Amino acid sequence: MFSRKIRVEFERNGKRQACPLKWLDNFSMRNFTNATIFDDTLPVGDGEMEIGQRVPLDQLKAAMEDWFRRKGYLGAEDQLFAEAA
């Protein structure tokens, strides 16, 4: 089910950091009931997620970035990166 591993990082002040597990877990729990396309996501550690084949990486990144900004985790100048590990 979770056949792909991805790294999720953010860049703040020119420095890349792994997204904390708390952020990833918060996103995954929110989307467990509200966006079925992201049901196949499993946070496994800071900056690490496992996702299913049907999860579109570009849409996942955009949805996480939107959620992290609304929660105040990311500032206006921060950038999010979601890439195959």
Side-chain angles (χ1 to χ4, degrees):
M1 183 165 153
F2 302 109
S3 57
R4 297 185 292 165
K5 295 179 183 203
I6 64 169
R7 290 274 315 147
V8 184
E9 300 173 320
F10 68 101
E11 186 174 301
R12 179 173 290 154
N13 299 323
K15 183 180 174 191
R16 267 202 195 191
Q17 304 172 55
C19 286
L21 179 60
K22 175 185 172 184
W23 295 12
L24 301 175
D25 191 48
N26 183 274
F27 173 81
S28 293
M29 292 305 292
R30 171 213 167 236
N31 278 294
F32 184 77
T33 57
N34 294 339
T36 59
I37 195 161
F38 301 127
D39 282 353
D40 294 344
T41 61
L42 178 67
V44 293
D46 288 345
E48 299 177 10
M49 291 184 84
E50 293 182 4
I51 63 175
Q53 283 299 113
R54 69 182 192 97
V55 177
L57 190 54
D58 58 338
Q59 289 180 24
L60 177 62
K61 181 214 173 257
M64 284 194 298
E65 188 169 29
D66 177 61
W67 182 247
F68 293 165
R69 288 195 194 286
R70 286 192 281 144
K71 292 293 287 182
Y73 298 156
L74 291 178
E77 301 298 317
D78 298 339
Q79 291 199 351
L80 186 72
F81 299 89
E83 305 163 333

